[in-house]
Amino acid sequence: MKDVMMLLGFSMGLLTGAMLYKYSQGAKDLVDQGEKKIVKGAKQMEKKAEKGIDQLEQKVKDGMQKVEKKMDKQETKN
C-alpha cells in the first residue's frame, strides 16, 4: 500500500509541475533560469577539466624528455 501511495504522490507532483511549467510564465522563467545556470556551470567545469588535462599532458611530455635525456647520457657512458 505504501508503494502505491508513493507512486501516486510522485505522479501527482510530476503532473502538477508539468502543468505549472505549461501555464505559469513565472514558473517557466524560473525553470529556464535554473537550466541556464546549470549549463553555464557545466561549461565552466568542462573548461577547467580541459585546462587540467592540457597541464597534465605538458608535465608528462616534460617528464618523458627528462627520462630520454638521462637514458641518452647513460648510453653514451657505456
Side-chain angles (χ1 to χ4, degrees), residues 4-20:
V4 173
M5 294 305 276
M6 282 184 8
L7 184 60
L8 182 62
F10 179 75
S11 300
M12 291 301 294
L14 186 62
L15 181 62
T16 304
M19 296 301 284
L20 271 173

Side-chain angles (χ1 to χ4, degrees), residues 49-65:
E50 286 176 357
K51 185 177 178 181
I53 289 171
D54 291 341
Q55 290 175 349
L56 183 59
E57 285 178 350
Q58 186 61 42
K59 287 181 180 181
V60 168
K61 286 179 185 178
D62 292 344
M64 289 298 293
Q65 288 175 354

Side-chain angles (χ1 to χ4, degrees), residues 10-75:
F10 179 75
S11 300
M12 291 301 294
L14 186 62
L15 181 62
T16 304
M19 296 301 284
L20 271 173
Y21 184 78
K22 184 174 182 180
Y23 294 110
S24 173
Q25 188 62 36
K28 192 176 217 175
D29 291 342
L30 185 66
V31 170
D32 291 342
Q33 287 175 359
E35 182 182 9
K36 287 178 184 177
K37 286 182 181 180
I38 290 171
V39 169
K40 184 178 177 181
K43 286 182 181 180
Q44 288 176 348
M45 288 174 55
E46 181 182 11
K47 286 180 184 179
K48 287 181 182 179
E50 286 176 357
K51 185 177 178 181
I53 289 171
D54 291 341
Q55 290 175 349
L56 183 59
E57 285 178 350
Q58 186 61 42
K59 287 181 180 181
V60 168
K61 286 179 185 178
D62 292 344
M64 289 298 293
Q65 288 175 354
K66 288 179 182 178
V67 168
E68 288 173 354
K69 286 180 183 179
K70 286 183 181 182
M71 288 178 64
D72 289 341
K73 285 181 183 179
Q74 287 180 355
E75 285 178 4

